Amino acid sequence: MRSVSKYFDGGETVANYKLDLEVEDGEFLVFLGPSGCGKTTALRMIAGLETPSEGEIYFDDDRVDGLAPADRNVAMVFQNYALYPHMNVRENIEYPLKVRGVPPEERDERVAETAELLHIEDQLGSDPAEISGGQRQRTSLARAIVREPSVFLLDEPLSNLDAKLRLEMRSELKRLQNELDITTVYVTHNQEEAMSMGDRIAVMNEGTIRQVAEPQELYKRPQTTWIANFIGSPPMNLFEGTQQNGTLDLREDNTLPMKGETASESVSLGVRPEDLTVSPDAPDSDWTIQGTVETVEPLGEYVLVNVDVAGSLVSVKVPTTDVRPGQHVHLLFEPEDAYLYDGDGMLVA
Amino acid sequence: MSLENDPDGWFDRDVDWEKLKAILVFMVPGLTLFAIFSVYPMVYSVGGSFWVWDAFDPMHFVGLDIWVETFQDEAVINWDNIKELEYPMGALPQNLIWMVIHVPLSTFLGLGLALLFSDLRGRRILRSMVFLAFTTPTVVIGLVLLFVYDPQAGIFNELLRTIGLEGQVRNWLQEPQLSMYALILGGVWVQTGFSMLLYSSALAGIDPSLLESARVDGASRYRRFRDIIWPLVKPVTAVVVIMGMIWVLRIFAIVYAAGGPSGGPNGVYSVLGLEVYQSAFSHPIEYGRAMVVALVELFIALPMAYYIARMD
């Protein structure tokens, strides 16, 4: 995609603004972002269901943004599966082959193959209304992959499934994509899905791509405070402060040593909840922040301690703790686990 | 009855007599109205069709005589003209011809307009304009047709003159072999509004992602219509077709307004409703004949009503 933009209502609504993105052959790319960030519109432009207002879309070296969906050899799975209610599972899967004039014998063969791949051989004669959500999802996947598309587009395909099925389908999808090696673009607002499935993730907000990175890098080096806030559960803690004369002044007498620039500047310091430790005694380190414990939530796997630092809540993930609400504590972290963002929210160090 | 003679366990069943009583009480008003206004007139007509009437009093029993007379009446069925395919053919065949032409035309026009308007700007205004004809009293439609087909001032003839078909200008409602079709067009104009409205709501009920999915699957505009839209609006088609047939069967005001109680010159566009009216309200009053014609209408309409009622 080369600076692709999409406007609605005569330019009043900007759905996408100057998207630049390259997806490798066989790659699994995830569009991740909150509702209304334009990720679905971006997907629909790739599918050909929307025409870009500006910009160009290429599949390999062929420009496709003027082509109808049918001429792009893309397959799409919709959030609500979009199964044709008057056709049974077999006819649904067969339909794209039928409209493309594939002879009946070959159709039968390919439907059988695909159904086997997705474990829905037994449902072929059923109507969509008679099968479970998971089976509908599989049918809709089967319909998409049966004609071996060059690009596979998925629009929040798991959001209508219950939690257990979602996990199951997640690994199933990943397996399929590995097996078939089809270039895949996947839209979701669920970061866990994005992190677990994507080869790369394009984080979107307000119609633009904020960062494209591999899941680990996205987590380790979020490029803006917005992404830092969006990725992770609970998200990264951000401390606002001013940087001057080699120190970083956070509110309420928390000063951290800081090398580098001398100019006074407002900045944010980001630390992930799991990189913080909490201790009632003053530790022997310059990298501490003081606060008061608000709540302690034992969650089994870890304990979540919410600490009030200068009026804002800071989350700390620790394996165990003996601090109690109301206690004055020190939050300790290693300088290499901290991220510094400038006044515009961009990553500095 | 003893319990031993009760293999189904009817008496063991937990029948809530209080509830049953309540249900019956609530059904009484509705059933009473249904009995007075539907069942009684039907039974009365069936009975009455075997009697010669003096005004509203049955005089003497004549058996099937009136039925036989009615079917031999040229105003109802004109066998000679049917063989020649010439109007007047009689009210019954004319009514059926009206149905055969009117129903497919108004159905397909309605579907076509609904499809055309479905993603058009200003579709609400366009739909309202088309639907307006259906909301207009049919008597008024008949009057409008009189004006439309008027040989001097009528817009239809004016149109013919404009496009250079001066020779075709005529009073369309007085041409025995053509006037029926001229009136049918008026009926189609009315009914199209209704079928368009039903189809529009059926189209709006189709999940847009189905059509998008079909587009991505590679279906052309025509295939999307044939494979997705048409099967999904099929139930509506059944309603549109049957409602159209019933509408044509009951047609009266348009014909009356355009051609008076005789149904045009020599009854060339007379219909069953007009025959009922003439028998019952103009001299000589033949109440039995009116009942027979009305019953013929009923027998044609009943299976259609039954079909509609059985639909999910």
Side-chain angles (χ1 to χ4, degrees), chain B residues 5 13 16 39 91 111 126 148 150 160 166 209 211 219 231 296 301:
Chain B
N5 295 335
R13 262 186 226 164
D16 189 341
V39 180
L111 176 60
L126 289 166
V148 167
D150 186 272
L160 291 179
E166 193 93 29
S209 68
L211 297 172
V296 169

Side-chain angles (χ1 to χ4, degrees), chain A residues 120-311:
Chain A
I120 45 170
E121 309 96 307
D122 300 335
Q123 273 77 43
L124 283 177
S126 318
D127 282 341
E130 297 166 357
I131 58 179
S132 69
Q135 289 164 342
R136 271 179 228 167
Q137 178 59 266
R138 284 164 192 273
T139 307
S140 127
L141 285 169
R143 185 176 64 186
I145 60 184
V146 73
R147 64 185 162 87
E148 294 156 10
S150 59
V151 181
F152 194 24
L153 306 169
L154 300 119
D155 185 7
E156 309 228 7
L158 305 184
S159 58
N160 285 358
L161 300 176
D162 62 49
K164 189 169 165 278
L165 252 164
R166 202 174 323 168
L167 276 179
E168 199 183 304
M169 287 306 293
R170 206 159 85 186
S171 42
E172 180 92 13
L173 263 175
K174 191 68 193 157
R175 170 184 74 90
L176 272 174
Q177 205 265 339
N178 280 336
E179 256 173 56
L180 302 168
D181 201 31
I182 303 175
T183 311
T184 303
V185 181
Y186 185 104
V187 161
T188 182
H189 64 266
N190 181 323
Q191 46 162 307
E192 213 178 295
E193 261 174 40
M195 300 292 264
S196 68
M197 296 167 77
D199 294 330
R200 281 192 308 154
I201 298 173
V203 182
M204 288 190 69
N205 186 34
E206 290 173 343
T208 54
I209 296 176
R210 298 295 162 128
Q211 184 175 1
V212 185
E214 288 172 15
Q216 275 310 310
E217 195 196 331
L218 195 68
Y219 187 77
K220 289 285 172 204
R221 291 188 66 79
Q223 261 168 7
T224 66
T225 46
W226 187 87
I227 298 171
N229 244 323
F230 185 68
I231 304 281
S233 165
M236 187 185 279
N237 298 300
L238 291 167
F239 305 96
E240 281 170 25
T242 6
Q243 186 184 26
Q244 59 186 110
N245 301 330
T247 58
L248 177 64
D249 293 331
L250 305 177
R251 273 170 290 166
E252 252 183 34
D253 304 331
N254 282 310
T255 309
L256 301 170
M258 208 61 217
K259 31 189 188 334
E261 298 99 297
T262 47
S264 167
E265 214 188 333
S266 78
V267 291
S268 308
L269 183 77
V271 188
R272 292 245 173 244
E274 55 271 36
D275 293 331
L276 283 168
T277 51
V278 58
S279 134
D281 314 310
D284 184 22
S285 165
D286 290 333
W287 298 95
T288 65
I289 297 167
Q290 299 176 43
T292 315
V293 176
E294 281 266 305
T295 53
V296 179
E297 301 172 25
L299 295 172
E301 197 185 334
Y302 57 88
V303 181
L304 189 65
V305 184
N306 292 307
V307 182
D308 179 19
V309 176

Side-chain angles (χ1 to χ4, degrees), chain B residues 32-310:
Chain B
T32 310
L33 290 175
F34 180 65
I36 293 175
F37 292 108
S38 278
V39 180
Y40 174 72
M42 278 190 232
V43 174
Y44 190 78
S45 303
V46 173
S49 66
F50 302 125
W51 293 75
V52 171
W53 292 71
D54 176 27
F56 291 108
D57 300 315
M59 295 270 286
H60 52 270
F61 185 78
V62 290
L64 282 173
D65 284 3
I66 303 176
W67 284 83
V68 174
E69 272 169 35
T70 305
F71 280 103
Q72 284 171 348
D73 185 350
E74 286 196 343
V76 177
I77 305 180
N78 187 332
W79 290 106
D80 294 333
N81 280 1
I82 289 175
K83 279 176 209 145
E84 303 291 321
L85 287 176
E86 257 180 24
Y87 292 97
M89 299 186 197
L92 179 60
Q94 276 163 199
N95 217 152
L96 293 177
I97 288 172
W98 191 308
M99 214 184 261
V100 169
I101 299 172
H102 172 109
V103 172
L105 263 184
S106 62
T107 304
F108 287 118
L109 265 176
L111 176 60
L113 288 178
L115 283 171
L116 188 70
F117 294 166
S118 66
D119 34 40
L120 218 63
R121 249 169 219 279
R123 55 177 170 267
R124 292 214 179 91
I125 297 170
L126 289 166
R127 270 186 211 147
S128 308
M129 278 167 62
V130 176
F131 190 64
L132 204 62
F134 190 72
T135 62
T136 311
T138 35
V139 167
V140 176
I141 299 287
L143 287 173
V144 170
L145 289 180
L146 274 180
F147 290 126
V148 167
Y149 291 126
D150 186 272
Q152 270 80 47
I155 191 166
F156 189 74
N157 285 317
E158 200 52 50
L159 192 76
L160 291 179
R161 284 190 201 103
T162 315
I163 59 174
L165 293 171
E166 193 93 29
Q168 297 296 316
V169 170
R170 64 192 78 188
N171 187 346
W172 291 90
L173 295 181
Q174 298 297 321
E175 288 283 326
Q177 303 311 320
L178 293 171
S179 50
M180 171 94 176
Y181 304 109
L183 276 184
I184 291 176
L185 284 184
V188 169
W189 167 40
V190 172
Q191 191 77 27
T192 296
F194 176 72
S195 60
M196 177 210 61
L197 202 72
L198 287 194
Y199 275 123
S200 287
S201 62
L203 288 179
I206 295 178
D207 180 356
S209 68
L210 291 182
L211 297 172
E212 287 181 343
S213 175
R215 266 172 77 190
V216 176
D217 283 345
S220 61
R221 202 173 266 271
Y222 167 70
R223 294 283 317 230
R224 289 202 295 275
F225 173 77
R226 201 192 75 179
D227 299 339
I228 315 291
I229 297 176
W230 180 245
L232 292 178
V233 299
K234 236 181 188 168
V236 170
T237 305
V239 175
V240 167
V241 165
I242 290 179
M243 294 297 279
M245 287 164 81
I246 293 174
W247 190 86
V248 172
L249 205 58
R250 299 187 323 163
I251 205 154
F252 174 78
I254 291 186
V255 181
Y256 187 88
S262 60
N266 224 354
V268 284
Y269 44 82
S270 173
V271 285
L272 292 172
L274 221 54
E275 282 305 313
V276 176
Y277 177 84
Q278 266 195 305
S279 312
F281 298 111
S282 57
H283 281 286
I285 290 178
E286 298 166 282
Y287 225 59
R289 184 172 179 274
M291 285 172 178
V292 168
V293 180
L295 282 169
V296 169
E297 276 190 66
L298 179 71
F299 292 145
I300 302 174
L302 264 184
M304 298 188 246
Y306 179 73
Y307 183 85
I308 287 255
R310 288 288 303 269

